[in-house]
Amino acid sequence: MLKIWGRANSINVQKVLWCAEELGLPYQRIDAGMEYGVVNTAEYRKLNPNGLVPTLEDGNLVLWESNAIVRYLAARYGAGSLWPTDPAVRADSDKWMDWQVSTLWTRLRPVFWGLIRTPPEKRNAQEIETAYQKTREAFAILDQALAGRQYVAGDAFTMGDIALGVAAQRWFNLPVERPAAPNLEAWYQRLRERPAFSKIVDHPLT
């Protein structure tokens, strides 16, 4: 059985849990991070020297970095579905996973943390506004890319949708104005119809 370390409301932990649910994999989740502590213990640091979540244990394999874990699970347990067999389709899906980490989340994170996890009196309004404008631009890119597509790599749901979907859930639940984005909105509704997304991701922001 897989062992997944990390709190359930972590965006990166949710990627891994959602992936495992989509693949029907049995797993044990162990609370770690923020209010749960654990990540600074000697035991945990042997698994993940960064002291972050998630960390995956699959037999003798110990793996950290959420997108790397999703890729591993998709490749080992979801070849032909979450892990496309066509190298071009797989690369397209993989591209969006990298973009989620390098571009989208770096812009969205200050908005999310500022509005959800920071008390009003401690918020940096200018930082939030700047990040918000950049986040709008990023989601406009995704909206354009989804034109004529059901999912980010084509007609089938893949690992790339998992990485982007957890970020989109934050965006669509933040108390901010969102410009019309018909392709993005339709894609997000398709994600919401997936039982695994509903179970793991689609919850109030905390």
Side-chain angles (χ1 to χ4, degrees):
M1 178 184 292
L2 302 176
K3 184 180 291 186
I4 300 169
W5 296 79
R7 52 194 167 79
N9 66 341
S10 159
I11 188 172
N12 291 321
V13 174
Q14 286 182 356
K15 292 178 192 177
V16 177
L17 297 175
W18 181 11
C19 182
E21 289 283 344
E22 290 283 354
L23 295 170
L25 301 175
Y27 63 85
Q28 174 192 10
R29 185 185 64 81
I30 303 170
D31 280 322
M34 291 187 70
E35 68 270 25
Y36 299 104
V38 177
V39 295
N40 289 321
T41 64
E43 176 193 10
Y44 188 81
R45 288 293 179 123
K46 287 180 181 179
L47 300 173
N48 186 337
N50 303 288
L52 298 172
V53 295
T55 297
L56 172 77
E57 292 184 77
D58 185 11
N60 292 326
L61 174 71
V62 176
L63 192 61
W64 35 267
E65 291 298 327
S66 60
N67 281 357
I69 296 172
V70 169
R71 289 184 181 104
Y72 163 74
L73 293 177
R76 180 166 184 179
Y77 300 106
S81 58
L82 295 186
W83 181 264
T85 53
D86 184 328
V89 177
R90 186 167 66 246
D92 200 8
S93 181
D94 202 19
K95 169 191 70 180
W96 286 110
M97 297 182 74
D98 284 351
W99 184 81
Q100 184 267 333
V101 172
S102 66
T103 301
L104 181 59
W105 186 237
T106 60
R107 300 180 184 194
L108 178 57
R109 187 179 188 275
V111 186
F112 169 74
W113 272 84
L115 295 178
I116 303 299
R117 292 184 176 169
T118 303
E121 68 276 9
K122 295 184 178 181
R123 292 173 184 167
N124 184 327
Q126 184 57 56
E127 180 184 70
I128 294 171
E129 176 63 22
T130 298
Y132 163 71
Q133 294 297 337
K134 291 180 178 179
T135 301
R136 286 177 49 144
E137 294 171 1
F139 274 111
I141 292 172
L142 181 56
D143 178 64
Q144 184 177 23
L146 284 164
R149 292 186 169 196
Q150 294 291 299
Y151 297 100
V152 295
D155 293 332
F157 177 85
T158 66
M159 60 187 180
D161 295 287
I162 291 177
L164 291 174
V166 291
Q169 192 269 343
R170 269 69 179 171
W171 176 241
F172 279 105
N173 287 277
L174 284 170
V176 298
E177 180 182 350
R178 286 169 291 276
N183 303 313
L184 179 70
E185 292 162 11
W187 165 78
Y188 180 64
Q189 288 306 313
R190 282 189 285 275
L191 298 186
R192 295 192 72 194
E193 293 168 3
R194 304 186 72 86
F197 181 87
S198 178
K199 177 180 178 179
I200 298 298
V201 185
D202 207 7
H203 303 291
L205 300 182
T206 56

